């Protein structure tokens, strides 16, 4: 659509999807809620400042802006204050944005931790891989989408199959295998970045990564929410969804920020060590990257070098390719690290008994 029509068509289709969802709202079953209905305004503000401050701080760092440390500090302090506020309000018997007692349930805590790390993995991969395909291999949007299709299609197929065929297998073991496959698939892509000129070389690693994500999708939501009693399921689902959304935003921002920071560092370092680029141009390049680092393909860079001597053009294009590839490799370390942390979290899951649905056992959280 973006290649042959317009990116605006994508937003139009979102409206269609929403219309379909709204047309089927009758399928949603209401659950009677008898608790307080007041709004925890302070808790809501602290949650926005906390999660928003961290992500915004990373995005500002990515764009080379100021007050990065202050924004991240505000986010961290706000999250700490949110924890204190929720516990204090709960003890006072007042309504809270979310019940801190949910985090006293080990299955819920490990489950949303896995959900967050799964989405950090997905977010980090979904910014690094398209940039690699479009800037290094110079694919258009259609070619990029087709190249990434093995990841999304295997993710969907494995999620459906694993949900139906899990049988008596422990959810924690499936989650462990899922994170392991993600880590392996993405780690294999890292050395490929600087050595390939075709998206076909990513086919198997993307299948592995997509299969891992599919296993995670098939288990984590149910693992996290099944033990929660029905009346509190909406609250627990909201926290679970927020953790996933925050993880996706954090993964996108962190991988993008690290990629641009390393790009600027690598490009500047290689430029300063070049015996071909004149000293004055070295300083000009360094100043430009300090203010506005940007991933560019060689095809995009060539018109900007039209007035330069041929040897300078060749040198800058070489540096651009090497710096770009290295920055993309470093960015891919973000989802790999998130997968490894998810693997450790899955080992914590394995030490717990499998969750029992609250509707069967009548589990109540304190």
């Amino acid at each position: 659509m973006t290649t042959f029509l317009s990116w605006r068509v994508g937003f139009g289709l979102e409206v269609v999807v929403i219309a379909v969802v709204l047309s089927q709202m009758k399928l949603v079953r209401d659950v009677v809620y008898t608790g307080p209905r007041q709004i925890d305004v302070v808790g809501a503000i602290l949650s926005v400042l906390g999660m928003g401050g961290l992500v915004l701080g990373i995005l500002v760092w990515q764009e080379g802006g100021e007050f990065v440390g202050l924004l991240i500090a505000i986010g961290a302090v706000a999250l700490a204050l949110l924890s204190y506020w929720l516990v204090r309000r709960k003890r006072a018997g007042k309504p809270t944005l979310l019940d801190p007692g949910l985090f006293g349930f080990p299955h819920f805590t490990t489950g949303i931790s896995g959900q967050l790390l799964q989405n950090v993995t997905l977010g980090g991969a979904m910014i690094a891989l398209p940039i690699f395909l479009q800037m290094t291999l110079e694919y258009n949007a259609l070619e990029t989408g087709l190249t990434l299709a093995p990841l999304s299609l295997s993710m969907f197929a494995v999620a459906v199959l694993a949900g139906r065929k899990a049988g008596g297998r422990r959810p924690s073991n499936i989650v462990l295998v899922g994170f392991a496959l993600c880590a392996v698939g993405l780690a294999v892509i890292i050395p490929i970045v600087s050595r390939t000129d075709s998206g076909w070389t990513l086919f198997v690693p993307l299948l592995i990564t997509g299969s891992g994500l599919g296993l995670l999708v098939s288990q984590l939501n149910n693992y996290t929410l099944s033990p929660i009693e029905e009346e509190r399921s909406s609250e627990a689902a909201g926290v679970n969804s927020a953790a996933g959304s925050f993880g996706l935003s954090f993964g996108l921002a962190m991988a993008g920020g690290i990629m641009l920071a390393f790009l600027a560092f690598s490009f500047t370092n290689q430029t300063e060590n070049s015996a071909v680029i004149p000293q004055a141009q070295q300083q000009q390049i360094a100043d430009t990257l300090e203010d506005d680092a940007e991933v560019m393909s060689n095809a995009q860079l060539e018109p900007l070098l039209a007035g330069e001597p041929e040897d300078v053009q060749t040198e800058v294009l070489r540096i651009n390719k090497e710096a770009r590839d290295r920055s993309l490799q470093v960015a891919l370390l973000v989802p790999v690290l998130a997968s490894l942390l998810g693997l450790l979290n899955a080992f914590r899951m394995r030490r717990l008994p499998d969750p029992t649905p609250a509707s069967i056992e009548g589990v109540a959280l304190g």
Side-chain angles (χ1 to χ4, degrees):
M1 288 184 295
T2 58
T3 301
F4 298 107
L5 298 175
S6 167
W7 55 266
R8 293 176 176 84
V9 177
F11 289 95
L13 286 182
E14 294 289 344
V15 176
V16 175
V17 172
I18 293 170
V20 172
V21 172
L22 292 177
S23 70
Q24 301 301 312
M25 287 299 292
K26 62 181 179 296
L27 299 177
V28 178
R29 182 173 61 89
D30 289 332
V31 177
V32 177
Y33 177 72
T34 58
R37 295 185 178 274
Q38 294 92 335
I39 297 175
D40 179 9
V41 176
V42 174
I45 293 174
L46 288 174
S47 70
V48 171
L49 289 175
M51 292 185 286
L54 290 178
V55 174
L56 183 60
I58 296 171
L59 290 174
V60 171
W61 167 56
Q62 178 178 326
E63 294 297 325
E66 299 179 350
F67 307 111
V68 173
L70 177 61
L71 287 170
I72 294 178
I74 289 174
V77 171
L79 288 178
L81 290 175
L82 176 62
S83 301
Y84 171 77
W85 173 262
L86 293 175
V87 172
R88 179 185 174 186
R89 294 270 293 185
K90 177 68 175 179
R91 289 174 178 171
K94 298 178 180 180
T96 57
L97 177 70
L98 57 95
D99 186 354
L102 290 172
F103 295 95
F105 191 67
H107 292 86
F108 183 79
T109 303
T110 55
I112 63 169
S113 298
Q115 186 79 266
L116 186 147
L117 291 168
Q118 171 205 326
N119 281 279
V120 172
T121 300
L122 181 60
M126 284 299 98
I127 191 170
L129 292 175
I131 288 179
F132 163 67
L133 293 169
Q134 293 182 344
M135 297 303 168
T136 298
L137 302 186
E138 301 186 6
Y139 283 4
N140 61 27
L142 177 60
E143 292 168 328
T144 298
L146 291 174
T147 303
L148 294 176
L151 185 148
S152 55
L153 293 177
S154 61
M155 179 178 172
F156 177 79
V158 171
V160 173
L161 290 175
R164 294 177 178 175
K165 305 292 185 180
R169 297 178 181 85
R170 296 192 65 191
S172 57
N173 288 337
I174 297 176
V175 170
L176 189 149
V177 173
F179 275 118
L181 288 176
C182 289
V184 170
L186 291 168
V188 169
I189 293 175
I190 292 177
I192 292 177
V193 166
S194 60
R195 293 178 170 85
T196 185
D197 58 0
S198 171
W200 281 105
T201 56
L202 302 182
F203 184 83
V204 173
L206 289 176
L207 275 181
I208 295 172
T209 304
S211 298
L213 289 169
L215 290 176
L216 298 178
V217 169
S218 73
Q219 301 298 316
L220 281 174
N221 277 328
N222 191 54
Y223 181 94
T224 305
L225 301 177
S226 63
I228 308 299
E229 58 186 348
E230 192 174 57
E231 185 177 283
R232 303 175 69 183
S233 60
S234 294
E235 180 181 22
V239 177
N240 186 51
S241 178
S245 297
F246 175 71
L248 188 64
S249 300
F250 185 85
L252 287 165
M254 179 59 74
I258 288 177
M259 177 175 57
L260 291 180
F262 194 85
L263 174 69
F265 170 79
S266 181
F267 205 115
T268 301
N269 185 60
Q270 291 191 65
T271 300
E272 291 176 348
N273 293 327
S274 173
V276 178
I277 301 175
Q279 185 70 35
Q281 287 182 310
Q282 291 181 10
Q283 188 59 47
Q284 181 184 3
I285 290 172
D287 293 341
T288 301
L289 287 172
E290 183 177 354
D291 296 332
D292 185 23
E294 182 180 354
V295 180
M296 298 181 68
S297 67
N298 281 0
Q300 292 173 317
L301 189 57
E302 283 173 354
L304 303 178
L305 300 171
E308 301 294 335
E310 186 175 344
D311 59 338
V312 173
Q313 292 186 35
T314 302
E315 179 72 356
V316 172
L317 292 174
R318 179 192 65 81
I319 292 174
N320 180 61
K321 183 183 185 309
E322 291 185 7
R324 184 186 60 224
D325 289 349
R326 290 177 184 175
S327 66
L328 289 168
Q329 289 174 318
V330 171
L332 283 170
L333 292 176
V334 172
V336 171
L337 179 59
S339 298
L340 293 176
L341 291 175
L343 196 62
L344 294 177
N345 188 65
F347 281 111
R348 289 176 56 206
M349 288 181 172
R350 293 185 75 234
R351 291 197 290 267
L352 299 171
D354 291 340
T356 304
S359 57
I360 297 177
E361 297 293 328
V363 175
L365 304 182

